[in-house]
Amino acid sequence: MSEETSSKLSRRKLITTGLAATAGVAGLGVAARLAQRYGLIPPDHGGIYGLGETLTYASQRLLTRHSLAREFSRSQISKPPFPNEIPPLNEAYKRLQAGGFADWRLTVNGMVARPVSLSLDQLKSYPSQSQITMVQCEEGWSYIAEWMGVPLARVLELVEVHPQAKYVVYFSIDPEWWDSIDMADALHPQTFLTYGMNGGELPVGNGGPLRLRVPRQIGYKNVKFITHLTVTDNLKSFGKGLGSASPEGGYAWYAGI
Ligand SMILES: Nc1nc2c(c(=O)[nH]1)N[C@H]1C(S)=C(S)[C@@H](COP(=O)(O)O)O[C@H]1N2
Ligand SMILES: [Mo]
């Protein structure tokens, strides 16, 4: 281990241990201030579980910013039928589906130099990548599948994200589903905009034609039917300001696994 790596590691360890220890000994306010100093406050820190959320997010980010979600072999891909939640599809979705999704667009704006509106064909024209990873629902079930798509980082590179940007907010055609991730997850090599699954098109039930795969976070962060991305440095102006529809219903904004 180089000196630089080891000093980085021990610094991280110090901060994380410090966060946990101060939370226990010197009181929760000190830990929260420490997390704030390092920019590690999640947007849903205000509720009853607020401090716990801050500690979880802060320690995970310091320890695992660059870690990879586990990838599996082809033989481990789950055989259908595996558990799956198929949300009701609205009229806007059905219209686009009737047209073979030719008019489906992914718009990207916010803190970017060049906002874009991309068709599925345009997205598919970028070099595709695949990953065999697990979807884990908060209710306890999971399955392994092969996902094909384009890394979100590639699209963010295309639009040129401003250096001050902190989050990518993503929206489904179903207005009840929207969420956000920080730049560490947005630029992570396994975070994909997916349009293929297990060698075929991404099925409607699994979020086709376009779904965000964030394999380092739990199932509900993997929003289906993505139509819009906004890059921002502040989550206050979205919904109730908690960074996602999920915390509005009591689920954590940061749900790393
Ligand atoms: N738009 C949208 N995205 C969604 C959901 C949903 O109902 N609507 N359910 C979420 C939840 S709770 C889980 S666990 C996963 C389930 O993914 P699957 O249907 O591919 O198993 O999708 C997530 N993404
Ligand atoms: Mo879920």
Side-chain angles (χ1 to χ4, degrees):
M1 198 187 290
S2 76
E3 215 168 275
E4 199 197 345
T5 322
S6 79
S7 76
K8 243 188 224 151
L9 269 184
S10 56
R11 186 174 142 269
R12 278 187 204 172
K13 201 168 165 215
L14 202 79
I15 299 167
T16 318
T17 325
L19 277 173
T22 35
V25 180
L28 301 170
V30 184
R33 274 201 296 281
L34 208 60
Q36 182 136 41
R37 190 162 142 209
Y38 289 97
L40 295 169
I41 304 281
D44 59 346
H45 68 282
I48 20 173
Y49 304 115
L51 203 67
E53 297 302 348
T54 296
L55 289 174
T56 310
Y57 176 58
S59 7
Q60 288 261 349
R61 269 295 162 267
L62 291 163
L63 292 170
T64 66
R65 186 178 288 264
H66 303 291
S67 67
L68 293 175
R70 182 173 169 199
E71 300 219 7
F72 298 82
S73 65
R74 277 234 156 73
S75 64
Q76 289 170 298
I77 290 174
S78 305
K79 311 254 178 311
F82 37 79
N84 164 246
E85 286 181 11
I86 302 177
L89 302 164
N90 58 23
E91 288 309 313
Y93 182 94
K94 286 184 197 154
R95 264 197 305 279
L96 290 162
Q97 186 179 29
F101 299 123
D103 292 330
W104 192 277
R105 290 292 178 274
L106 174 73
T107 51
V108 189
N109 65 12
M111 297 180 77
V112 304
R114 280 188 305 275
V116 285
S117 169
L118 301 169
S119 67
L120 293 170
D121 280 347
Q122 278 173 301
L123 276 170
K124 288 175 186 171
S125 75
Y126 305 131
S128 69
Q129 287 190 23
S130 65
Q131 57 172 283
I132 302 176
T133 50
M134 187 186 269
V135 171
Q136 283 173 272
C137 173
E138 77 294 349
E139 291 171 356
W141 50 264
S142 62
Y143 67 90
I144 295 167
E146 178 167 27
W147 304 88
M148 199 166 83
V150 55
L152 177 60
R154 179 76 190 78
V155 173
L156 296 177
E157 199 180 293
L158 187 85
V159 296
E160 257 187 68
V161 170
H162 295 175
Q164 317 89 286
K166 280 194 170 156
Y167 306 98
V168 174
V169 192
Y170 44 105
F171 297 87
S172 170
I173 199 165
D174 174 355
E176 286 188 20
W177 284 83
W178 63 277
D179 215 309
S180 64
I181 44 178
D182 66 8
M183 279 298 160
D185 265 336
L187 299 173
H188 188 273
Q190 289 172 311
T191 300
F192 285 11
L193 282 161
T194 55
Y195 45 73
M197 184 182 180
N198 293 336
E201 299 269 295
L202 180 59
V204 170
N206 297 99
L210 195 65
R211 176 182 198 174
L212 192 76
R213 262 305 271 143
V214 196
R216 296 202 310 173
Q217 292 208 46
I218 209 158
Y220 63 74
K221 297 290 286 189
N222 294 254
V223 172
K224 303 173 179 183
F225 323 124
I226 297 290
T227 52
H228 180 53
L229 308 175
T230 285
V231 181
T232 183
D233 64 350
N234 192 326
L235 296 168
K236 288 265 179 317
S237 59
F238 300 92
K240 295 186 180 157
L242 302 176
S244 156
S246 296
E248 295 174 6
Y251 295 95
W253 171 77
Y254 181 72
I257 39 178

